[in-house]
Amino acid sequence: MSRIGKLPIAIPSGVEVTVGSGKVTVKGKKGTLVQAMDPDITVKVENGTCTVTRPTDQKRHKALHGLYRALIANMVHGVSEGYKTEQELVGVGYRANMKGQLLELSLGYSHNIVMELPAEIKATTTAEKGSNPKIIMECADKQLIGLVAAKIRSLRTPEPYKGKGIKFANEILRRKAGKSASKK
C-alpha cells in the first residue's frame, strides 16, 4: 500500500465531499473545488472521513493512489482554512500595486509589468517604510495559488550575489561570494 494513499482524510465540520461521475467535489466556507478522477481509483466518504483505494498493485495504480489522496486532502484543507503565500520584492525601486484583479509590478525593467490574477485569488500589496514591498495572496486552491506565485517569481528570480528579485517570505537564498573573495 501507498503510505500516503492509505491514510484517511478527516473531513472537518462545514465541509461537504461528494463523489460522482468521475469527479470529487469539495464544498466549504472558502469555496468549491472540483477534481476529475481516474476511473480506476475509488473514493469513499463515510463517518466523517474520506478514503481512497486502488484496484491492483500496478505501478500506475500505486502512483495515482497517493496522488489523488494528496489532491483531495489539499482540497479539504483549502475550502476549510485556505492557503496563503507571501512574496517579497528585494531591490531598489521594486514596487507592487493592486488595482482590482490587476497586479502592477515595477521590477527594474524599462516598463511596468501588468498581470491579471484569477478571480479566485484575493491579493493585497504592502509597502512599509524600512522593509521590502510584499505581495500577499490567499486562495482555496493550492495548485492555482502555487502556479500564480511561481509565475510572479519567474518575472525576476532572485540572483545569488545581492539577492535582488522576487522571493517567498520564508525562503532562504543561497548566496555566493563575489569576485573579491577569490583575490586572496
Side-chain angles (χ1 to χ4, degrees):
M1 285 295 273
S2 165
R3 284 190 227 166
I4 297 295
K6 68 182 177 183
L7 296 174
I9 303 165
I11 301 172
S13 62
V15 176
E16 179 185 331
V17 179
T18 56
V19 181
S21 67
K23 292 182 182 178
V24 174
T25 306
V26 181
K27 292 181 184 176
K29 63 182 179 183
K30 298 271 186 177
T32 303
L33 297 174
V34 178
Q35 176 64 49
M37 298 289 291
D38 190 273
D40 294 342
I41 305 297
T42 57
V43 179
K44 293 178 188 169
V45 180
E46 52 194 12
N47 300 333
T49 62
C50 180
T51 55
V52 180
T53 56
R54 65 177 187 247
T56 66
D57 283 342
Q58 291 179 5
K59 189 172 185 175
R60 179 179 166 279
H61 288 157
K62 285 182 178 181
L64 292 176
H65 188 206
L67 169 75
Y68 284 122
R69 190 267 174 205
L71 290 176
I72 294 170
N74 289 343
M75 290 165 58
V76 169
H77 182 272
V79 298
S80 61
E81 298 173 30
Y83 290 98
K84 180 179 179 180
T85 62
E86 286 188 30
Q87 292 179 307
E88 289 183 23
L89 282 68
V90 181
V92 177
Y94 288 10
R95 290 187 304 278
N97 291 321
M98 280 299 298
K99 295 175 184 169
Q101 285 299 103
L102 291 177
L103 176 64
E104 185 177 355
L105 298 167
S106 176
L107 300 173
Y109 294 116
S110 61
H111 59 284
N112 288 350
I113 298 169
V114 179
M115 184 176 178
E116 185 174 2
L117 300 179
E120 297 87 3
I121 293 181
K122 295 178 185 77
T124 58
T125 57
T126 61
E128 298 170 8
K129 190 170 184 174
S131 67
N132 295 322
K134 290 185 180 178
I135 303 169
I136 302 164
M137 294 185 289
E138 295 182 36
C139 185
D141 191 349
K142 186 176 186 178
Q143 295 177 36
L144 180 64
I145 198 168
L147 182 75
V148 172
K151 178 65 178 166
I152 291 172
R153 187 178 191 273
S154 73
L155 296 173
R156 183 67 94 171
T157 55
E159 53 95 15
Y161 296 102
K162 292 182 180 178
K164 290 173 57 174
I166 300 174
K167 69 178 196 90
F168 292 100
N170 56 357
E171 182 179 13
I172 298 170
L173 299 174
R174 186 175 157 265
R175 301 290 290 268
K176 292 182 177 180
K179 289 194 296 185
S180 62
S182 64
K183 290 185 178 182
K184 291 182 180 181

